């Protein structure tokens, strides 16, 4: 969710479906929703296929393997990680790594990771969980950015021309002339 997005204020004539949509949109925007959904959906085929059977008339096809219990455990853990991503955003890195590892383990244990469906969904969910970061409100100034209150001349001295970082105040303009004694003995790699 964009932290600068306007907050929804319910009007008198809004339909209940509109209200539910906006509340769901606000809820899902503050958490790794898609990561949790993909991880959750990836757990179902991994847990289901080892116990499934297909009946064609009098013929029964069973997908049962010796790793049925392992597949069930992997599937239930992936479903749990998907739900945890929705309700505990702080464990997103752990849940992302765990879902990727469980997806990889499901390849030999659970019919090639639920015939590839659960494997792919769990990998995507884990990657999304690792890449998600909570939004920051617009009021906060990110750390390391120059203060605009000091004036444009100070900001240009820190950032240089066209946003390219300028040398720090402790560095001299000829800091790269020699690598042994530049700036009081500090070595440079350039």
């Amino acid at each position: 969710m964009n932290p600068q997005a306007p907050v929804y204020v319910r009007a008198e004539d809004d339909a209940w479906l509109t209200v539910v949509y906006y509340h769901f949109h606000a809820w899902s925007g503050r958490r790794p929703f898609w990561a949790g959904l993909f991880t959750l959906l990836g757990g179902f085929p991994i847990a289901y296929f080892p116990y499934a059977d297909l009946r064609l008339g009098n013929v029964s096809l069973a997908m049962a393997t010796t790793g049925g219990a392992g597949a069930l455990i992997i599937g239930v853990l992936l479903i749990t990680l998907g739900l945890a991503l929705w309700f505990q955003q702080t464990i997103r890195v752990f849940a992302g790594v765990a879902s990727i590892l469980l997806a990889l383990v499901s390849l030999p244990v659970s019919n090639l990771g639920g015939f590839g469906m659960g494997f792919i969904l769990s990998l995507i969910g884990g990657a999304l969980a690792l890449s998600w970061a909570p939004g920051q409100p617009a009021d906060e100034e990110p750390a390391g950015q120059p203060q605009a209150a000091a004036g444009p001349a100070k900001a240009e001295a820190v950032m240089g021309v066209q946003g390219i970082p300028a040398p720090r105040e402790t560095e001299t303009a000829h800091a790269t002339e020699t690598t042994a004694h530049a700036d009081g003995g500090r070595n440079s790699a350039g």
Side-chain angles (χ1 to χ4, degrees):
M1 180 172 112
N2 185 358
Q4 300 168 345
V7 177
Y8 172 71
V9 179
R10 183 173 184 206
E12 290 286 329
D13 59 344
D14 279 347
W16 68 271
L17 194 58
T18 304
V19 173
V20 169
Y21 169 75
Y22 280 112
H23 282 286
F24 174 74
H25 188 67
W27 176 81
S28 66
R30 292 187 299 264
R31 61 199 73 244
F33 175 75
W34 292 106
L37 183 67
F38 279 114
T39 305
L40 180 84
L41 292 177
F44 285 115
I46 291 174
Y48 174 73
F49 285 132
Y51 293 100
D53 61 338
L54 178 64
R55 297 189 189 271
L56 299 171
N58 292 334
V59 178
S60 178
L61 299 174
M63 302 292 169
T65 62
T66 58
L72 183 64
I73 291 170
I74 290 171
V76 168
L77 284 174
L78 284 170
I79 292 168
T80 305
L81 286 172
L83 291 172
L85 281 169
W86 284 349
F87 299 109
Q88 295 290 327
Q89 299 87 359
T90 56
I91 64 164
R92 65 181 173 80
V93 174
F94 167 75
V97 171
S99 65
I100 289 173
L101 290 175
L102 286 170
L104 290 172
V105 169
S106 74
L107 284 173
V109 172
S110 175
N111 294 329
L112 296 174
F115 297 115
M117 291 183 291
F119 171 71
I120 295 295
L121 288 171
S122 298
L123 280 181
I124 291 171
L128 287 174
L130 287 173
S131 65
W132 184 83
Q136 295 179 349
D139 297 333
E140 295 180 14
E141 183 86 15
Q145 294 293 328
Q147 296 291 335
K154 178 68 175 171
E156 186 175 322
V158 172
M159 288 304 290
V161 181
Q162 295 179 352
I164 300 171
R168 292 175 278 179
E169 294 175 3
T170 59
E171 292 181 336
T172 59
H174 59 284
T176 58
E177 289 179 8
T178 177
T179 59
H181 301 290
D183 276 339
R186 193 178 68 192
N187 293 327
S188 70

